[in-house]
Amino acid sequence: MMFVCSDTEPDTDPTPLPDIDKWVAENDSRGRRLSGNELGPTSAATTVRVRDGELLVSEGPFAETSEVIVGFDLLECADLDEAIEVARTHPMAREGRLELRPFADLPD
Amino acid sequence: MRTGATAGAVAEAVAAAGVEAYPRIVATLIRVTGDWALAEDCAQESLTVALERWPADGVPTNPGGWLMTVARNRAIDVLRRATVERRKLHDLALLTPQDAPPEPDVSQDVVDDRLRLIFTCCHPALAIEARVALTLRTVCGVPTADIARLLLVSESTMTRRLTRARTRIAQAGIPYRVPSGPALTERLPGVLAVLYLLFTRGYVADGEPAFADEAVRLARLLDRLMPEQSEVAALLALVLLQHSRRDARRDATGTLLTLERQDRDRWDRAAIAEGLAALDRVRHDGPYAWQARIAARHATAASAEDTDWPTIARAYDALVDIRPSPVIALNRAVAHGYAYGPAAGLALLDAARAGGGLDGYPLTVAVEADLVARQGDRLRAASLFRQAAAAVGSTAERRALLDRADELTRA
């Protein structure tokens, strides 16, 4: 899973960012990107907890952070190195950050 | 087989075989099982079994092959009990019980396994402390307790750190292979930094010389596999040229000798020649390249007086530009002091101190003492040497500094 995150200090390199549509098309056609989407703003977030059997619903994200998850891509990669190579070509690698995390139940 | 070997001889044989065979066994078992902890446990186990059996049975003719066989059988047992993947068991069974002669120098298979280990340990997705600790443990076979002492943490902390690193390799999907193309170039600085750190750990006054030997060996290996990488050649040149002085660095009583007091006949000429040849292939101006050029000037000076200090001073100027560090600034002051007189050195020393990071670094005072001595103020120099001696941690260094102080007050 690749979380696409914002960053308060994006890249200042003036060269244009890679085209996101091209990135999606390329990785979809290789069968590497299984799914993905942009997320709504944190102002649209709702946090849910149950404590002592009581449902607690509150507005907003679970923690106040200036850097937030703004989208995700579900990738099928052989190993971390392949995932890093894919993440490197995503435009948000320069505008924000990408967090790579394997699923816990993958074999090995 | 020899029988009736003494306990001491057996312990020595096990230790020697361990140094040589341990990384090879670990690398092979990781390749086959993918399980770092299992590989290390089984390699360790084989050494324990050797300590039990060799005193009675004698030291086998091929100790490394014997250890490999024991480790492999042990891994088969463990996996069988865990009834895991059939394929791993099959692959393990295929590992020939190696009673073949020890590996030739460039056996591709083994070389690649070792290199894979190095590059896996040096993956950027592992924290830098984890990279160093894993390299020491897995590639060099250093016991966890010793690594803990080296890196100044408790043994239980180091055990946890190593376990977390191995788990992370599995969970994050860090591949066990030598990367290619741009990834290789990107990872190389980390690999070189780990090797240089390993070398330094072995080279410092209280260090373990075996680490320096191992770092030299690994640098040679890396250079053979990547002869076109100028940075690798530079690191190899640097460690060889520094290591060439290892026998001359102490006198008969174990006191550390500075460069100018060393008996140059005791320098290792073969290592110097090899280092200079590696330096010839360096085509860039990186930190290791400049440090190697500095080491080469020292290594080729017929005597301390013949040292080409102006060239060394210029190399430090370049080095301080590309890799500013308090210690390099300090060494630069020394070089300028010898090239252009103690006043020039003291001026740069003041600047280095003002730059920060040298407070509490005992050699700063020793450098000042040396420059003051050469200006002729013997009493003040002696007092500074004593002040430096009180602050250093290593006995050998302390003795060397006190000797300097005594010489200055005696005359």
Side-chain angles (χ1 to χ4, degrees):
Chain A
M1 171 67 78
M2 181 167 83
F3 296 108
V4 182
C5 315
S6 66
D7 195 315
T8 50
E9 290 176 7
D11 190 8
T12 49
D13 181 352
T15 51
L17 291 175
D19 182 341
I20 183 66
D21 292 327
K22 235 172 94 185
W23 185 91
V24 167
E26 150 119 23
N27 285 289
D28 280 355
S29 72
R30 286 175 182 233
R32 189 154 54 192
R33 180 177 171 279
L34 308 180
S35 170
N37 220 324
E38 256 178 85
L39 298 178
T42 52
S43 59
T46 303
T47 298
V48 175
R49 284 170 294 171
V50 173
R51 295 290 183 274
D52 292 327
E54 193 186 345
L55 173 68
L56 299 167
V57 178
S58 55
E59 190 187 309
F62 74 95
E64 284 298 327
T65 53
S66 49
E67 285 151 5
V68 295
I69 298 175
V70 296
F72 72 95
D73 289 283
L74 185 57
L75 308 171
E76 174 72 54
C77 294
D79 52 42
L80 179 64
D81 285 354
E82 184 184 351
I84 290 173
E85 278 312 306
V86 178
R88 170 213 295 280
T89 61
H90 192 284
M92 282 301 279
R94 290 182 44 203
E95 288 243 285
R97 303 171 182 218
L98 299 164
E99 177 179 331
L100 299 165
R101 248 201 263 177
F103 287 93
D105 60 351
L106 277 179
D108 278 351
Chain B
M1 300 224 180
R2 286 187 288 119
T3 47
T6 66
V10 167
E12 237 172 69
V14 172
V19 167
E20 194 274 325
Y22 182 93
R24 191 154 49 95
I25 296 171
V26 172
T28 307
L29 292 184
I30 288 176
R31 169 159 56 82
V32 178
T33 67
D35 187 333
W36 287 58
L38 174 79
E40 288 181 30
D41 287 349
C42 293
Q44 200 60 53
E45 178 87 9
S46 74
L47 294 176
T48 310
V49 176
L51 276 175
E52 286 165 12
R53 298 257 296 271
W54 292 2
D57 299 352
V59 177
T61 44
N62 174 10
W66 192 97
L67 293 170
M68 180 73 225
T69 306
V70 171
R72 160 186 160 272
N73 290 343
R74 174 86 192 144
I76 290 177
D77 280 354
V78 173
L79 285 179
R80 215 172 254 150
R81 241 174 299 148
T83 59
V84 282
E85 280 182 68
R86 217 128 271 295
R87 186 186 53 78
K88 288 181 186 173
L89 270 172
H90 173 76
D91 291 352
L92 263 178
L94 283 185
L95 278 184
T96 35
Q98 306 189 344
D99 235 327
E103 65 185 87
D105 221 358
V106 202
S107 152
Q108 203 51 50
D109 207 28
V110 172
V111 160
D112 276 347
D113 264 354
R114 254 183 209 145
L115 210 61
R116 275 188 210 120
L117 269 181
I118 298 175
F119 275 93
T120 308
C121 292
C122 293
H123 198 285
L126 289 174
I128 185 76
E129 317 88 72
R131 285 181 225 169
V132 177
L134 258 189
T135 308
L136 290 171
R137 178 78 200 101
T138 315
V139 186
C140 312
V142 181
T144 306
D146 293 354
I147 303 175
R149 250 199 315 279
L150 271 174
L151 301 183
L152 308 174
V153 298
S154 74
E155 188 175 349
S156 60
T157 302
M158 185 46 70
T159 304
R160 271 201 309 278
R161 195 180 282 177
L162 285 168
T163 307
R164 200 167 53 224
R166 292 187 201 104
T167 312
R168 181 154 167 73
I169 287 175
Q171 287 183 345
I174 294 176
Y176 174 62
R177 73 162 125 74
V178 180
S180 57
L184 176 73
T185 326
E186 281 164 18
R187 211 159 301 172
L188 204 50
V191 172
L192 296 176
V194 165
L195 290 189
Y196 191 55
L197 191 63
L198 184 64
F199 178 78
T200 309
R201 296 274 182 219
Y203 200 69
V204 290
D206 286 347
E208 173 62 61
F211 292 161
D213 290 335
E214 183 67 7
V216 170
R217 195 183 65 76
L218 290 169
R220 278 202 189 105
L221 173 70
L222 205 58
D223 182 58
R224 251 198 328 260
L225 283 143
M226 298 165 195
E228 77 294 349
Q229 288 286 346
S230 180
E231 248 187 310
V232 178
L235 179 83
L236 177 63
L238 174 60
V239 296
L240 280 168
L241 289 167
Q242 290 194 358
H243 206 46
S244 71
R245 298 199 285 269
R246 65 189 171 280
D247 295 335
R249 291 172 74 221
R250 282 165 200 278
D251 66 13
T253 66
T255 305
L256 270 189
L257 297 174
T258 52
L259 251 178
E260 52 180 347
R261 288 160 186 246
Q262 292 173 11
D263 174 2
R264 289 172 190 236
D265 289 339
R266 293 180 67 199
W267 288 358
D268 180 347
R269 294 289 147 195
I272 292 174
E274 191 187 347
L276 293 175
L279 188 56
D280 265 350
R281 290 186 285 119
V282 173
R283 298 276 172 268
H284 73 288
D285 288 339
Y288 300 121
W290 282 117
Q291 288 180 84
R293 286 177 196 133
I294 292 167
R297 289 287 160 177
H298 286 301
T300 52
S303 66
E305 296 71 40
D306 278 347
T307 307
D308 181 359
W309 285 107
T311 301
I312 291 174
R314 275 196 300 279
Y316 272 115
D317 293 346
L319 195 52
V320 91
D321 271 347
I322 52 176
R323 180 158 301 177
S325 99
V327 173
I328 286 172
L330 181 64
N331 287 330
R332 179 173 171 236
V334 174
H336 278 259
Y338 279 96
Y340 311 114
L346 283 167
L348 279 180
L349 178 63
D350 283 346
R353 275 182 163 142
L358 286 174
D359 291 348
Y361 186 68
L363 289 185
T364 314
V365 180
V367 165
E368 184 182 0
D370 188 60
L371 290 165
V372 167
R374 287 175 39 233
Q375 275 189 324
D377 191 344
R378 305 174 71 96
L379 285 182
R380 189 157 155 259
S383 139
L384 285 167
F385 271 123
R386 290 207 177 88
Q387 192 187 321
V392 294
S394 122
T395 321
E397 279 185 68
R398 179 158 50 245
R399 211 158 44 198
L401 291 167
L402 288 175
D403 284 354
R404 291 292 301 275
D406 288 347
E407 278 169 33
L408 286 163
T409 40
R410 234 186 349 251

